[in-house]
Amino acid sequence: METTYQPRQSGIWALLLCAWLLALISTLAVLFVGEVMGQVPCVLCWFQRAFMFPLVLVLGVACCMSDAGVWRYALPLAVMGWLIALYHNLLYFGLIPESIKPCGAGPSCSGVDMTIFSGVPLPLLSLGVFSLLIVLLVLIRRRFTV
């Protein structure tokens, strides 16, 4: 009888795949908006991209290796991206005064051309994606450590 610890693997690979696909689709979408549609991102969008782009690689490798321990590396990236997206949304919806807006001099995300799916603003979509990634990574963590 073997007594070594074996993490519960049921469903972890599917969660990893979902997280990777979510990060990949998000990255491809923002690249399409920026490079094909020619929409220049604001400063806060750039910071959010800085946390989303590495998630594609980190989660992709974890998915290929079935490495449920990836939550240790991916969760901090997703949380930092979420915090920036939250701040961006607070600015977008006017809950934070304009005087402390860091991206006032550059392109603005408040234009109608920066919406998708019939009016969903890109900052809100970013917050949603980071939120889903955090949920998936927490589920992976729970299944890995139980």
Side-chain angles (χ1 to χ4, degrees):
M1 178 185 262
E2 190 172 310
T3 60
T4 59
Y5 172 73
Q6 291 292 327
R8 195 172 70 182
Q9 295 293 324
S10 61
I12 288 179
W13 188 83
L15 292 171
L16 285 170
L17 180 64
C18 287
W20 175 69
L21 287 173
L22 187 59
L24 178 66
I25 291 167
S26 299
T27 297
L28 292 175
V30 298
L31 288 174
F32 178 80
V33 168
E35 300 302 319
V36 175
M37 295 177 61
Q39 300 296 331
V40 179
C42 72
V43 173
L44 288 173
C45 287
W46 275 115
F47 284 123
Q48 290 168 68
R49 287 177 178 197
F51 288 101
M52 181 62 73
F53 290 176
L55 283 170
V56 175
L57 297 174
V58 170
L59 292 170
V61 171
C63 194
C64 289
M65 304 294 291
S66 294
D67 179 14
V70 71
W71 68 267
R72 291 179 183 98
Y73 313 108
L75 192 57
L77 287 171
V79 168
M80 289 304 297
W82 184 86
L83 289 171
I84 295 169
L86 176 66
Y87 179 68
H88 196 178
N89 276 278
L90 291 173
L91 287 173
Y92 181 86
F93 290 109
L95 299 173
I96 294 178
E98 292 286 326
S99 62
I100 60 172
K101 187 173 181 179
C103 60
S108 173
C109 289
S110 60
V112 70
D113 55 342
M114 295 305 261
T115 61
I116 195 167
F117 302 130
S118 301
V120 177
L122 291 180
L124 186 59
L125 195 59
S126 175
L127 183 66
V129 169
F130 278 116
S131 297
L132 286 173
L133 282 171
I134 289 169
V135 167
L136 288 169
L137 291 166
V138 167
L139 288 172
I140 289 167
R141 180 187 171 271
R142 286 187 179 167
R143 290 192 180 183
F144 179 71
T145 56
V146 171

